[in-house]
Every structure is written in structure tokens, then in C-alpha cells.
Amino acid sequence: ADCTAVGSMSSSDGSTDPLGESWDGSGWTASKLRPAGQFTFADGVSCPAAKTCLAVGSHQHDGPGSASSPWAADWNGSRWATVSPPRPAGSDDSTGLSAVSCVSATSCIAAGDVSAAPAAYAWDGTGWTRLTVPAASGVLTGVSCTSATSCVAVGRSFDGSSWLADAWDGTAWTAMPTVGNLAINAVSCSAAVACTAVGSLSTGPSAQQVIERWDGTAWTAQQPALPPAGNGQAQLNGVSCASA
């Protein structure tokens, strides 16, 4: 009886605004997420409690293709309030948040990129702290936290060396060993030692969907079911795990 979805909408004035939809058990109610400017996109949301959500995305200053900044909004059950992190000093046009995971109203981790490098931020209910992420060329596209001291963020590299996975212990991020040039889009952890990440092979005209499993020690590729015959390309964009 309490769900929240976010995305974006085109307005009559040509702007793109973030859109929220709230479910109360019987119907959906739409709301505008109080955008920071004319081109704002909501890409992820996490609700740790009833009437408590945090949405994240990006704001493009002068339209599509222009410089962007990280964007976030807080939902209290009746209205959205913009609570965006500041744009990092010296960052270029590639800056935004792709996903967020909250274990409480005062403990959220958001992931994305700053200047084509993986980035993560911590939300404490009142403000953001930018966290140091292992150096790489790429973007974090998904994050899942099972506690304030246990999160996994995943993504894709831009140099084709391997896909990205980092673990948060409440104090620091550590790079997790990965194999293969994959485009990982999302992750869900039901426990610190049970995570599933999904995406696709990131090269070739016949890329297929990919599923990777974390057991606390290593990531292992799982065999997904084959798509219907005749589908030359396939990818997985989201995942949610209720248990291992």
C-alpha cells in the first residue's frame, strides 16, 4: 500500500521534468518532483519507510547534451523537496546519479559518475558527503545496501577492461574482482554475501544478457535463460532479490 516510482516527463514549454507516481494500495497519484531546472531526469528511487523516499538523477543546465549536475529530491509523503548534492568543483559535462539505496531515512548511498569516473555519495537525512571510490574510467549504474555498513555498487567501464563492482563497509569503498567486458546495469543484495548483478555483454552486434552472482568471495557468471528465437540482442536492466 506504499510504493513510489520516478521517471521524467516532457512539459508543454519544452522542458523535461522529473515525475513521481505514488501508490496507496488502490490507485496511483502523480506529482512533480520540484525540478532544479529545465532539463532534470529522475533515474532511481529508494523508500526505506512509509512516506519516506529519496530520488536521484541528473540536471542538464542548458538542454540535452549540455553539462550536467547530480540531482536529488526527498519525499515526505505529501511533497518533494530538492536536496541535490553540489556540483563537484572542476567536473566536466559528465556528472549525475544513476541509482540510490536507503536502509533508513538517514542512511542512503547514491551512485553515478563525475567526469567519466565512478562516484558515490552518502545521505544522512540532511546533507550529502561525497565518498572516495576506487579509481576507474566508467560509471556506477546500480547500488544495493543491506545495512549502513554493507553496500555493493556496480557499473561499466569505458576503457573495456572489465565491469565495475565496489563494496562499501561503512568507512571505505573497496574494488571487487571482476572478469569480462560487461555492461552491468543493476544489482540487488538480499545479504552481504548474496548479490545478483545484471546487464549484457558490452561488445559485439549480438550481445546477450548477463547475470553475475556474488557469494561473499567472488562473482560468478550464471547462465540466463535464452531469449525467444530471432532476438539478436538482449540485455537486463533491473533486478530485485527477496532472498538468496
Side-chain angles (χ1 to χ4, degrees):
D2 195 318
C3 299
T4 298
V6 300
S8 60
M9 57 178 282
S10 296
S11 297
S12 58
D13 62 359
S15 66
T16 299
D17 299 323
L19 171 68
E21 292 270 358
S22 300
W23 171 258
D24 63 4
S26 60
W28 290 92
T29 301
S31 59
K32 200 172 180 180
L33 276 68
R34 298 176 181 270
Q38 199 173 17
F39 295 91
T40 306
F41 304 86
D43 294 319
V45 65
S46 182
C47 303
K51 314 301 181 186
T52 304
C53 300
L54 188 67
V56 300
S58 62
H59 165 61
Q60 294 177 323
H61 302 283
D62 299 308
S66 65
S68 59
S69 298
W71 172 88
D74 179 68
W75 171 251
N76 66 3
S78 61
R79 67 176 183 86
W80 290 95
T82 301
V83 291
S84 303
R87 179 174 171 83
S91 59
D92 63 15
D93 61 353
S94 175
T95 300
L97 299 174
S98 304
V100 61
S101 181
C102 301
V103 296
S104 73
T106 59
S107 181
C108 300
I109 297 291
D113 71 304
V114 170
S115 300
Y121 292 79
W123 170 255
D124 64 5
T126 59
W128 292 95
T129 300
R130 186 178 172 187
L131 307 173
T132 301
V133 179
S137 170
V139 55
L140 294 175
T141 53
V143 61
S144 181
C145 300
T146 55
S147 73
T149 59
S150 181
C151 301
V152 170
V154 298
R156 57 184 180 270
S157 66
F158 294 146
D159 59 13
S161 58
S162 64
W163 59 286
L164 304 177
D166 297 312
W168 171 252
D169 63 6
T171 303
W173 288 94
T174 302
M176 306 167 78
T178 61
V179 177
N181 182 15
L182 311 178
I184 298 297
N185 297 319
V187 63
S188 180
C189 302
S190 58
V193 296
C195 300
T196 297
V198 301
S200 69
L201 296 172
S202 61
T203 59
S206 58
Q208 294 298 311
Q209 69 270 41
V210 167
I211 302 174
E212 293 278 341
R213 177 73 174 174
W214 174 255
D215 62 6
T217 302
W219 289 98
T220 303
Q222 294 184 315
Q223 181 61 52
L226 294 177
N231 190 335
Q233 292 184 324
Q235 67 179 10
L236 298 172
N237 295 325
V239 60
S240 180
C241 300
S243 70

PDB file of all heavy atoms in Angstrom, residues 195-229:
ATOM      1  N   CYS A 195      24.413 -11.332  -3.652  1.00  0.00           N
ATOM      2  CA  CYS A 195      24.035 -10.250  -4.566  1.00  0.00           C
ATOM      3  C   CYS A 195      23.909 -10.802  -5.979  1.00  0.00           C
ATOM      4  O   CYS A 195      24.639 -11.722  -6.372  1.00  0.00           O
ATOM      5  CB  CYS A 195      25.084  -9.138  -4.576  1.00  0.00           C
ATOM      6  SG  CYS A 195      25.369  -8.331  -2.990  1.00  0.00           S
ATOM      7  N   THR A 196      22.997 -10.225  -6.750  1.00  0.00           N
ATOM      8  CA  THR A 196      22.851 -10.560  -8.158  1.00  0.00           C
ATOM      9  C   THR A 196      22.943  -9.272  -8.969  1.00  0.00           C
ATOM     10  O   THR A 196      22.224  -8.304  -8.688  1.00  0.00           O
ATOM     11  CB  THR A 196      21.510 -11.258  -8.430  1.00  0.00           C
ATOM     12  OG1 THR A 196      21.479 -12.500  -7.726  1.00  0.00           O
ATOM     13  CG2 THR A 196      21.335 -11.533  -9.910  1.00  0.00           C
ATOM     14  N   ALA A 197      23.846  -9.274  -9.955  1.00  0.00           N
ATOM     15  CA  ALA A 197      24.029  -8.133 -10.850  1.00  0.00           C
ATOM     16  C   ALA A 197      23.648  -8.559 -12.261  1.00  0.00           C
ATOM     17  O   ALA A 197      23.905  -9.698 -12.667  1.00  0.00           O
ATOM     18  CB  ALA A 197      25.475  -7.644 -10.816  1.00  0.00           C
ATOM     19  N   VAL A 198      23.017  -7.632 -13.009  1.00  0.00           N
ATOM     20  CA  VAL A 198      22.552  -7.982 -14.351  1.00  0.00           C
ATOM     21  C   VAL A 198      22.964  -6.917 -15.355  1.00  0.00           C
ATOM     22  O   VAL A 198      23.188  -5.763 -15.008  1.00  0.00           O
ATOM     23  CB  VAL A 198      21.019  -8.168 -14.391  1.00  0.00           C
ATOM     24  CG1 VAL A 198      20.583  -9.265 -13.436  1.00  0.00           C
ATOM     25  CG2 VAL A 198      20.298  -6.856 -14.068  1.00  0.00           C
ATOM     26  N   GLY A 199      23.040  -7.335 -16.614  1.00  0.00           N
ATOM     27  CA  GLY A 199      23.401  -6.426 -17.686  1.00  0.00           C
ATOM     28  C   GLY A 199      23.511  -7.171 -18.993  1.00  0.00           C
ATOM     29  O   GLY A 199      22.659  -8.001 -19.321  1.00  0.00           O
ATOM     30  N   SER A 200      24.588  -6.897 -19.735  1.00  0.00           N
ATOM     31  CA  SER A 200      24.784  -7.553 -21.025  1.00  0.00           C
ATOM     32  C   SER A 200      26.257  -7.574 -21.369  1.00  0.00           C
ATOM     33  O   SER A 200      27.072  -6.852 -20.772  1.00  0.00           O
ATOM     34  CB  SER A 200      24.009  -6.832 -22.128  1.00  0.00           C
ATOM     35  OG  SER A 200      24.579  -5.559 -22.377  1.00  0.00           O
ATOM     36  N   LEU A 201      26.613  -8.414 -22.334  1.00  0.00           N
ATOM     37  CA  LEU A 201      27.926  -8.307 -22.939  1.00  0.00           C
ATOM     38  C   LEU A 201      28.012  -6.931 -23.586  1.00  0.00           C
ATOM     39  O   LEU A 201      27.080  -6.500 -24.261  1.00  0.00           O
ATOM     40  CB  LEU A 201      28.125  -9.397 -23.998  1.00  0.00           C
ATOM     41  CG  LEU A 201      28.110 -10.852 -23.508  1.00  0.00           C
ATOM     42  CD1 LEU A 201      28.120 -11.803 -24.698  1.00  0.00           C
ATOM     43  CD2 LEU A 201      29.308 -11.120 -22.613  1.00  0.00           C
ATOM     44  N   SER A 202      29.103  -6.238 -23.371  1.00  0.00           N
ATOM     45  CA  SER A 202      29.168  -4.844 -23.820  1.00  0.00           C
ATOM     46  C   SER A 202      29.804  -4.676 -25.181  1.00  0.00           C
ATOM     47  O   SER A 202      30.014  -3.556 -25.625  1.00  0.00           O
ATOM     48  CB  SER A 202      29.940  -4.008 -22.789  1.00  0.00           C
ATOM     49  OG  SER A 202      31.262  -4.498 -22.650  1.00  0.00           O
ATOM     50  N   THR A 203      30.138  -5.772 -25.855  1.00  0.00           N
ATOM     51  CA  THR A 203      30.739  -5.661 -27.183  1.00  0.00           C
ATOM     52  C   THR A 203      30.030  -6.598 -28.138  1.00  0.00           C
ATOM     53  O   THR A 203      29.419  -7.595 -27.745  1.00  0.00           O
ATOM     54  CB  THR A 203      32.234  -6.013 -27.152  1.00  0.00           C
ATOM     55  OG1 THR A 203      32.392  -7.350 -26.659  1.00  0.00           O
ATOM     56  CG2 THR A 203      33.001  -5.057 -26.255  1.00  0.00           C
ATOM     57  N   GLY A 204      30.114  -6.276 -29.413  1.00  0.00           N
ATOM     58  CA  GLY A 204      29.583  -7.152 -30.444  1.00  0.00           C
ATOM     59  C   GLY A 204      28.150  -6.865 -30.802  1.00  0.00           C
ATOM     60  O   GLY A 204      27.373  -6.384 -29.989  1.00  0.00           O
ATOM     61  N   PRO A 205      27.760  -7.168 -32.047  1.00  0.00           N
ATOM     62  CA  PRO A 205      26.399  -6.902 -32.519  1.00  0.00           C
ATOM     63  C   PRO A 205      25.358  -7.865 -31.963  1.00  0.00           C
ATOM     64  O   PRO A 205      24.162  -7.629 -32.101  1.00  0.00           O
ATOM     65  CB  PRO A 205      26.533  -7.045 -34.038  1.00  0.00           C
ATOM     66  CG  PRO A 205      27.662  -8.010 -34.210  1.00  0.00           C
ATOM     67  CD  PRO A 205      28.632  -7.715 -33.105  1.00  0.00           C
ATOM     68  N   SER A 206      25.792  -8.972 -31.370  1.00  0.00           N
ATOM     69  CA  SER A 206      24.844  -9.965 -30.853  1.00  0.00           C
ATOM     70  C   SER A 206      25.005 -10.124 -29.347  1.00  0.00           C
ATOM     71  O   SER A 206      25.009 -11.231 -28.817  1.00  0.00           O
ATOM     72  CB  SER A 206      25.038 -11.309 -31.555  1.00  0.00           C
ATOM     73  OG  SER A 206      26.365 -11.787 -31.382  1.00  0.00           O
ATOM     74  N   ALA A 207      25.169  -9.007 -28.646  1.00  0.00           N
ATOM     75  CA  ALA A 207      25.345  -9.038 -27.197  1.00  0.00           C
ATOM     76  C   ALA A 207      24.141  -9.694 -26.527  1.00  0.00           C
ATOM     77  O   ALA A 207      23.002  -9.484 -26.924  1.00  0.00           O
ATOM     78  CB  ALA A 207      25.538  -7.626 -26.665  1.00  0.00           C
ATOM     79  N   GLN A 208      24.407 -10.480 -25.516  1.00  0.00           N
ATOM     80  CA  GLN A 208      23.355 -11.190 -24.807  1.00  0.00           C
ATOM     81  C   GLN A 208      23.331 -10.791 -23.345  1.00  0.00           C
ATOM     82  O   GLN A 208      24.284 -10.242 -22.809  1.00  0.00           O
ATOM     83  CB  GLN A 208      23.558 -12.705 -24.947  1.00  0.00           C
ATOM     84  CG  GLN A 208      23.384 -13.218 -26.363  1.00  0.00           C
ATOM     85  CD  GLN A 208      21.975 -12.970 -26.892  1.00  0.00           C
ATOM     86  OE1 GLN A 208      20.986 -13.280 -26.234  1.00  0.00           O
ATOM     87  NE2 GLN A 208      21.884 -12.405 -28.092  1.00  0.00           N
ATOM     88  N   GLN A 209      22.221 -11.096 -22.697  1.00  0.00           N
ATOM     89  CA  GLN A 209      22.052 -10.741 -21.297  1.00  0.00           C
ATOM     90  C   GLN A 209      23.047 -11.498 -20.416  1.00  0.00           C
ATOM     91  O   GLN A 209      23.468 -12.604 -20.726  1.00  0.00           O
ATOM     92  CB  GLN A 209      20.614 -11.007 -20.843  1.00  0.00           C
ATOM     93  CG  GLN A 209      20.208 -12.461 -20.753  1.00  0.00           C
ATOM     94  CD  GLN A 209      19.635 -13.003 -22.034  1.00  0.00           C
ATOM     95  OE1 GLN A 209      20.137 -12.694 -23.104  1.00  0.00           O
ATOM     96  NE2 GLN A 209      18.618 -13.830 -21.921  1.00  0.00           N
ATOM     97  N   VAL A 210      23.394 -10.835 -19.303  1.00  0.00           N
ATOM     98  CA  VAL A 210      24.394 -11.370 -18.380  1.00  0.00           C
ATOM     99  C   VAL A 210      23.845 -11.331 -16.966  1.00  0.00           C
ATOM    100  O   VAL A 210      23.171 -10.368 -16.576  1.00  0.00           O
ATOM    101  CB  VAL A 210      25.702 -10.542 -18.464  1.00  0.00           C
ATOM    102  CG1 VAL A 210      26.624 -10.881 -17.299  1.00  0.00           C
ATOM    103  CG2 VAL A 210      26.408 -10.793 -19.783  1.00  0.00           C
ATOM    104  N   ILE A 211      24.113 -12.370 -16.192  1.00  0.00           N
ATOM    105  CA  ILE A 211      23.777 -12.407 -14.775  1.00  0.00           C
ATOM    106  C   ILE A 211      25.019 -12.824 -13.999  1.00  0.00           C
ATOM    107  O   ILE A 211      25.637 -13.849 -14.307  1.00  0.00           O
ATOM    108  CB  ILE A 211      22.632 -13.398 -14.473  1.00  0.00           C
ATOM    109  CG1 ILE A 211      21.384 -13.025 -15.281  1.00  0.00           C
ATOM    110  CG2 ILE A 211      22.312 -13.421 -12.979  1.00  0.00           C
ATOM    111  CD1 ILE A 211      20.251 -14.026 -15.156  1.00  0.00           C
ATOM    112  N   GLU A 212      25.423 -12.021 -13.009  1.00  0.00           N
ATOM    113  CA  GLU A 212      26.580 -12.312 -12.170  1.00  0.00           C
ATOM    114  C   GLU A 212      26.122 -12.465 -10.717  1.00  0.00           C
ATOM    115  O   GLU A 212      25.283 -11.700 -10.237  1.00  0.00           O
ATOM    116  CB  GLU A 212      27.619 -11.196 -12.274  1.00  0.00           C
ATOM    117  CG  GLU A 212      28.282 -11.067 -13.638  1.00  0.00           C
ATOM    118  CD  GLU A 212      29.430 -12.046 -13.835  1.00  0.00           C
ATOM    119  OE1 GLU A 212      29.950 -12.558 -12.820  1.00  0.00           O
ATOM    120  OE2 GLU A 212      29.810 -12.286 -15.002  1.00  0.00           O
ATOM    121  N   ARG A 213      26.700 -13.429 -10.009  1.00  0.00           N
ATOM    122  CA  ARG A 213      26.306 -13.732  -8.633  1.00  0.00           C
ATOM    123  C   ARG A 213      27.478 -13.562  -7.680  1.00  0.00           C
ATOM    124  O   ARG A 213      28.574 -14.064  -7.922  1.00  0.00           O
ATOM    125  CB  ARG A 213      25.802 -15.179  -8.571  1.00  0.00           C
ATOM    126  CG  ARG A 213      25.417 -15.663  -7.192  1.00  0.00           C
ATOM    127  CD  ARG A 213      24.120 -15.042  -6.750  1.00  0.00           C
ATOM    128  NE  ARG A 213      23.651 -15.611  -5.485  1.00  0.00           N
ATOM    129  CZ  ARG A 213      22.619 -15.183  -4.809  1.00  0.00           C
ATOM    130  NH1 ARG A 213      21.910 -14.171  -5.275  1.00  0.00           N
ATOM    131  NH2 ARG A 213      22.252 -15.730  -3.688  1.00  0.00           N
ATOM    132  N   TRP A 214      27.265 -12.814  -6.594  1.00  0.00           N
ATOM    133  CA  TRP A 214      28.285 -12.606  -5.553  1.00  0.00           C
ATOM    134  C   TRP A 214      27.958 -13.472  -4.342  1.00  0.00           C
ATOM    135  O   TRP A 214      26.828 -13.436  -3.837  1.00  0.00           O
ATOM    136  CB  TRP A 214      28.343 -11.137  -5.154  1.00  0.00           C
ATOM    137  CG  TRP A 214      29.257 -10.831  -4.000  1.00  0.00           C
ATOM    138  CD1 TRP A 214      28.903 -10.549  -2.713  1.00  0.00           C
ATOM    139  CD2 TRP A 214      30.687 -10.785  -4.036  1.00  0.00           C
ATOM    140  NE1 TRP A 214      30.014 -10.319  -1.947  1.00  0.00           N
ATOM    141  CE2 TRP A 214      31.131 -10.468  -2.720  1.00  0.00           C
ATOM    142  CE3 TRP A 214      31.631 -10.996  -5.031  1.00  0.00           C
ATOM    143  CZ2 TRP A 214      32.475 -10.342  -2.402  1.00  0.00           C
ATOM    144  CZ3 TRP A 214      32.972 -10.868  -4.703  1.00  0.00           C
ATOM    145  CH2 TRP A 214      33.385 -10.536  -3.413  1.00  0.00           C
ATOM    146  N   ASP A 215      28.948 -14.244  -3.868  1.00  0.00           N
ATOM    147  CA  ASP A 215      28.727 -15.152  -2.736  1.00  0.00           C
ATOM    148  C   ASP A 215      29.531 -14.762  -1.502  1.00  0.00           C
ATOM    149  O   ASP A 215      29.654 -15.537  -0.565  1.00  0.00           O
ATOM    150  CB  ASP A 215      29.058 -16.589  -3.127  1.00  0.00           C
ATOM    151  CG  ASP A 215      30.532 -16.765  -3.522  1.00  0.00           C
ATOM    152  OD1 ASP A 215      31.320 -15.798  -3.392  1.00  0.00           O
ATOM    153  OD2 ASP A 215      30.893 -17.879  -3.957  1.00  0.00           O
ATOM    154  N   GLY A 216      30.060 -13.537  -1.520  1.00  0.00           N
ATOM    155  CA  GLY A 216      30.879 -13.085  -0.408  1.00  0.00           C
ATOM    156  C   GLY A 216      32.361 -13.210  -0.679  1.00  0.00           C
ATOM    157  O   GLY A 216      33.179 -12.633   0.040  1.00  0.00           O
ATOM    158  N   THR A 217      32.709 -13.983  -1.701  1.00  0.00           N
ATOM    159  CA  THR A 217      34.114 -14.199  -2.051  1.00  0.00           C
ATOM    160  C   THR A 217      34.423 -13.803  -3.476  1.00  0.00           C
ATOM    161  O   THR A 217      35.450 -13.174  -3.752  1.00  0.00           O
ATOM    162  CB  THR A 217      34.498 -15.674  -1.852  1.00  0.00           C
ATOM    163  OG1 THR A 217      34.251 -16.057  -0.497  1.00  0.00           O
ATOM    164  CG2 THR A 217      35.970 -15.909  -2.171  1.00  0.00           C
ATOM    165  N   ALA A 218      33.540 -14.146  -4.398  1.00  0.00           N
ATOM    166  CA  ALA A 218      33.803 -13.898  -5.815  1.00  0.00           C
ATOM    167  C   ALA A 218      32.501 -13.744  -6.581  1.00  0.00           C
ATOM    168  O   ALA A 218      31.438 -14.194  -6.136  1.00  0.00           O
ATOM    169  CB  ALA A 218      34.615 -15.049  -6.400  1.00  0.00           C
ATOM    170  N   TRP A 219      32.609 -13.073  -7.737  1.00  0.00           N
ATOM    171  CA  TRP A 219      31.499 -13.004  -8.683  1.00  0.00           C
ATOM    172  C   TRP A 219      31.588 -14.200  -9.627  1.00  0.00           C
ATOM    173  O   TRP A 219      32.654 -14.530 -10.136  1.00  0.00           O
ATOM    174  CB  TRP A 219      31.565 -11.721  -9.498  1.00  0.00           C
ATOM    175  CG  TRP A 219      31.253 -10.473  -8.740  1.00  0.00           C
ATOM    176  CD1 TRP A 219      32.139  -9.592  -8.194  1.00  0.00           C
ATOM    177  CD2 TRP A 219      29.948  -9.937  -8.454  1.00  0.00           C
ATOM    178  NE1 TRP A 219      31.493  -8.553  -7.572  1.00  0.00           N
ATOM    179  CE2 TRP A 219      30.137  -8.741  -7.720  1.00  0.00           C
ATOM    180  CE3 TRP A 219      28.645 -10.349  -8.746  1.00  0.00           C
ATOM    181  CZ2 TRP A 219      29.066  -7.958  -7.284  1.00  0.00           C
ATOM    182  CZ3 TRP A 219      27.588  -9.572  -8.308  1.00  0.00           C
ATOM    183  CH2 TRP A 219      27.799  -8.397  -7.590  1.00  0.00           C
ATOM    184  N   THR A 220      30.462 -14.836  -9.871  1.00  0.00           N
ATOM    185  CA  THR A 220      30.404 -15.979 -10.764  1.00  0.00           C
ATOM    186  C   THR A 220      29.297 -15.764 -11.788  1.00  0.00           C
ATOM    187  O   THR A 220      28.163 -15.409 -11.425  1.00  0.00           O
ATOM    188  CB  THR A 220      30.123 -17.278  -9.990  1.00  0.00           C
ATOM    189  OG1 THR A 220      31.125 -17.451  -8.992  1.00  0.00           O
ATOM    190  CG2 THR A 220      30.127 -18.477 -10.924  1.00  0.00           C
ATOM    191  N   ALA A 221      29.619 -15.977 -13.053  1.00  0.00           N
ATOM    192  CA  ALA A 221      28.625 -15.827 -14.104  1.00  0.00           C
ATOM    193  C   ALA A 221      27.604 -16.953 -14.011  1.00  0.00           C
ATOM    194  O   ALA A 221      27.956 -18.130 -13.875  1.00  0.00           O
ATOM    195  CB  ALA A 221      29.299 -15.832 -15.465  1.00  0.00           C
ATOM    196  N   GLN A 222      26.317 -16.605 -14.069  1.00  0.00           N
ATOM    197  CA  GLN A 222      25.247 -17.586 -14.128  1.00  0.00           C
ATOM    198  C   GLN A 222      24.697 -17.658 -15.542  1.00  0.00           C
ATOM    199  O   GLN A 222      24.832 -16.713 -16.318  1.00  0.00           O
ATOM    200  CB  GLN A 222      24.133 -17.223 -13.138  1.00  0.00           C
ATOM    201  CG  GLN A 222      24.564 -17.301 -11.678  1.00  0.00           C
ATOM    202  CD  GLN A 222      23.410 -17.018 -10.723  1.00  0.00           C
ATOM    203  OE1 GLN A 222      22.659 -16.083 -10.917  1.00  0.00           O
ATOM    204  NE2 GLN A 222      23.293 -17.835  -9.686  1.00  0.00           N
ATOM    205  N   GLN A 223      24.065 -18.766 -15.879  1.00  0.00           N
ATOM    206  CA  GLN A 223      23.525 -18.954 -17.215  1.00  0.00           C
ATOM    207  C   GLN A 223      22.080 -18.468 -17.271  1.00  0.00           C
ATOM    208  O   GLN A 223      21.183 -19.084 -16.697  1.00  0.00           O
ATOM    209  CB  GLN A 223      23.568 -20.427 -17.615  1.00  0.00           C
ATOM    210  CG  GLN A 223      23.055 -20.714 -19.012  1.00  0.00           C
ATOM    211  CD  GLN A 223      23.857 -19.997 -20.091  1.00  0.00           C
ATOM    212  OE1 GLN A 223      25.081 -20.090 -20.135  1.00  0.00           O
ATOM    213  NE2 GLN A 223      23.179 -19.261 -20.958  1.00  0.00           N
ATOM    214  N   PRO A 224      21.827 -17.341 -17.951  1.00  0.00           N
ATOM    215  CA  PRO A 224      20.437 -16.880 -18.066  1.00  0.00           C
ATOM    216  C   PRO A 224      19.664 -17.740 -19.060  1.00  0.00           C
ATOM    217  O   PRO A 224      20.255 -18.420 -19.906  1.00  0.00           O
ATOM    218  CB  PRO A 224      20.592 -15.445 -18.580  1.00  0.00           C
ATOM    219  CG  PRO A 224      21.881 -15.469 -19.332  1.00  0.00           C
ATOM    220  CD  PRO A 224      22.768 -16.454 -18.628  1.00  0.00           C
ATOM    221  N   ALA A 225      18.359 -17.720 -18.952  1.00  0.00           N
ATOM    222  CA  ALA A 225      17.525 -18.385 -19.946  1.00  0.00           C
ATOM    223  C   ALA A 225      17.658 -17.657 -21.278  1.00  0.00           C
ATOM    224  O   ALA A 225      17.750 -16.436 -21.320  1.00  0.00           O
ATOM    225  CB  ALA A 225      16.069 -18.394 -19.498  1.00  0.00           C
ATOM    226  N   LEU A 226      17.670 -18.399 -22.359  1.00  0.00           N
ATOM    227  CA  LEU A 226      17.814 -17.793 -23.674  1.00  0.00           C
ATOM    228  C   LEU A 226      16.551 -17.026 -24.038  1.00  0.00           C
ATOM    229  O   LEU A 226      15.436 -17.447 -23.726  1.00  0.00           O
ATOM    230  CB  LEU A 226      18.085 -18.869 -24.723  1.00  0.00           C
ATOM    231  CG  LEU A 226      19.418 -19.615 -24.588  1.00  0.00           C
ATOM    232  CD1 LEU A 226      19.506 -20.703 -25.642  1.00  0.00           C
ATOM    233  CD2 LEU A 226      20.591 -18.657 -24.715  1.00  0.00           C
ATOM    234  N   PRO A 227      16.707 -15.874 -24.708  1.00  0.00           N
ATOM    235  CA  PRO A 227      15.530 -15.121 -25.152  1.00  0.00           C
ATOM    236  C   PRO A 227      14.837 -15.847 -26.288  1.00  0.00           C
ATOM    237  O   PRO A 227      15.381 -16.809 -26.841  1.00  0.00           O
ATOM    238  CB  PRO A 227      16.134 -13.791 -25.601  1.00  0.00           C
ATOM    239  CG  PRO A 227      17.524 -14.137 -26.019  1.00  0.00           C
ATOM    240  CD  PRO A 227      17.963 -15.224 -25.085  1.00  0.00           C
ATOM    241  N   PRO A 228      13.627 -15.402 -26.642  1.00  0.00           N
ATOM    242  CA  PRO A 228      12.918 -16.045 -27.757  1.00  0.00           C
ATOM    243  C   PRO A 228      13.747 -16.051 -29.036  1.00  0.00           C
ATOM    244  O   PRO A 228      14.559 -15.163 -29.282  1.00  0.00           O
ATOM    245  CB  PRO A 228      11.667 -15.172 -27.920  1.00  0.00           C
ATOM    246  CG  PRO A 228      11.462 -14.575 -26.570  1.00  0.00           C
ATOM    247  CD  PRO A 228      12.831 -14.349 -26.014  1.00  0.00           C
ATOM    248  N   ALA A 229      13.554 -17.070 -29.847  1.00  0.00           N
ATOM    249  CA  ALA A 229      14.295 -17.212 -31.098  1.00  0.00           C
ATOM    250  C   ALA A 229      14.104 -15.980 -31.966  1.00  0.00           C
ATOM    251  O   ALA A 229      13.017 -15.402 -32.032  1.00  0.00           O
ATOM    252  CB  ALA A 229      13.821 -18.458 -31.840  1.00  0.00           C
TER     253      ALA A 229
END
